[in-house]
Amino acid sequence: MKTSKIYKIVIAGVSMAVMSACTDLVNEEKDSVVSPSADGGFSPVNVTEALASAYKDLSTYSDQAGIYALGEHTTAEMIPPTRGVDWGDNGVWRTLDQHTWDASHSYILSAWNNLNQRAYKATEIIASNPNAKQKAEAQFLRAYNMYWVMDYWGVVPFREVTQGVDELPKVLSRSEAFDLILKDLEEALPNLPKAGPSVSNGTANKAAANFLLAKMYLNKAVYKNAAAEGPYTFAKADMDKVVAYVDAITADGYSLEKDYFAAFSSAAKTEPILNVQEGTAQNRWFMTLHYGQNPSGWNGFATLADFYDTFEAKDTRIGKPAKKDGTQYSGIGLGFLIGPQYDDKGKVVIDTRTQKPLSFTKDVPLAGAATDKGIRVIKYHPANSGKYILMRYAEAYLMKAEALLRGGNAAGALTQINTLRTTRGATALGSLTEANLFDEIGRELYWEGFKRTTEIRFGKFTTGTGASVKEPHTVLYPIPSAALVSNPNLVQNPGY
């Protein structure tokens, strides 16, 4: 790593490598500091190398902690039970579930550092005389990382490369950050390549930019609202933009996978818009599988019975049984794993800690959970997993349905949703409301990392199952204490 001075925007104190009780398989953060030239000014980076590094950095989104944990463990579809001494981790998981986090929470700090580091790396690329396509890619990457800072904390620290090492970065309000992200995406879009669906979509393309633009406008009422906790008013003009951006994605050749779980496999054909090419999706099965299964997991996260019960039995998204045909990993099913569990040859797995047959149960307490408690979830299967998905067409499809409903076209939205439900083997709905649309979004996108954003938009984040303390201010995370010390321009979010 080069000898360098640390710019205050990027590092909010020392970047912490906080690990869960089990092995964390995401690469350790390296070379995330800024290197000034000998005279103290900005030293341009090698654009090709920096872009390649920035794409590798997307692997941080596949970690089970940090960014992902903030988007899922705080919601009503995931629970991180403590099992004996396992997954206690000084309460970092329980406080997320209970909405009792504070400004010292290690995953809030790590997410803040990682996202801001990556946003600044993109700013360096933009300032290093890239060609038009390279600049567009860097603008997309800056927009994507800044989007999550804006979404999670409501403010975004921003430093220009021309600022001195000792200058404090300015702090963008949520509204200002929204405008900058929008500007980056709109400028980038014409210069990004067109790419149809592919598991190898690991770089910015027009569909990815249109996807993020649709997500921006769908949530604009949240991000531009004076009160972060709402209520929110969704403008028809914004909803019309969502529809237009999603239609542009469809025009590039994207469509719903006929087989739901194919979207998460190496055989995905019609849905992948943007995938993480670095590493694998293995954290997603390790974090939930039991120690006695093959592969041996960390016996961690589960879903809640209330969420599981929203599915019809014939809905294909609820899962597929294990094949149990003797091939590697064939003892593992897809979707929700509930009831007796089997090895690859069809024999019941024995829990080595209890010496009893392993059978996952619906009930699961947050603390003091036995090793068999809780329904487990598998979307990426170890036998045929594709690369980790950041953007897939089904989410865009649902964004359009929601925009149609909020824009006054309930009939069009219902048609959109019933097409999806028919594809997934579920019964068509007779009418569409915000309530059953919210449920449908959950059924399609469960455990994909952004349930928190959906719950906030629907006004359910501080009222749903799973939170014991449901204070309105928790719709924003606290600015990490270390960040406040390093940059006095930052002001703590209300309630912390």
Side-chain angles (χ1 to χ4, degrees), residues 274-435:
L274 183 65
N275 294 55
V276 177
Q277 296 300 304
E278 182 77 359
T280 73
Q282 60 190 354
N283 282 49
R284 291 297 171 269
W285 61 77
F286 280 125
M287 72 188 193
T288 193
L289 289 177
H290 186 274
Y291 319 112
Q293 294 179 283
N294 181 30
S296 176
W298 303 330
N299 203 34
F301 312 146
T303 199
L304 294 156
D306 286 347
F307 176 66
Y308 174 78
D309 288 340
T310 67
F311 287 79
E312 287 182 290
K314 66 178 185 177
D315 191 328
T316 58
R317 295 171 295 193
I318 205 168
K320 293 182 178 181
K323 294 180 179 179
K324 298 174 286 188
D325 60 6
T327 58
Q328 182 80 312
Y329 309 131
S330 64
I332 304 298
L334 277 165
F336 297 101
L337 309 187
I338 186 170
Q341 299 301 301
Y342 302 91
D343 66 16
D344 294 345
K345 296 181 179 180
K347 294 178 62 177
V348 174
V349 172
I350 300 299
D351 184 338
T352 56
R353 298 195 179 185
T354 65
Q355 298 304 311
K356 296 178 181 179
L358 178 63
S359 184
F360 293 141
T361 66
K362 270 190 175 185
D363 62 304
V364 55
L366 181 61
T371 55
D372 62 344
K373 296 296 184 182
I375 303 167
R376 312 308 164 87
V377 175
I378 294 291
K379 296 184 88 165
Y380 297 90
H381 198 283
N384 67 352
S385 169
K387 293 295 185 179
Y388 187 70
I389 297 171
L390 295 177
M391 298 178 178
R392 71 179 179 99
Y393 181 72
E395 185 185 355
Y397 185 93
L398 282 163
M399 285 195 282
K400 178 177 176 178
E402 184 178 339
L404 289 171
L405 182 65
R406 294 192 187 280
N409 186 355
L414 178 62
T415 298
Q416 185 95 345
I417 290 300
N418 280 338
T419 298
L420 172 67
R421 287 181 62 78
T422 300
T423 303
R424 304 306 187 216
T427 305
L429 300 176
S431 62
L432 191 65
T433 64
E434 282 194 25

Side-chain angles (χ1 to χ4, degrees), residues 15-20 24 63-66 89 92 106-107 109-110:
S15 182
M16 300 176 65
V18 180
M19 311 294 280
S20 71
D24 186 320
D63 186 7
Q64 80 279 359
D89 297 352
V92 293
S106 57
Y107 293 160
L109 174 61
S110 65

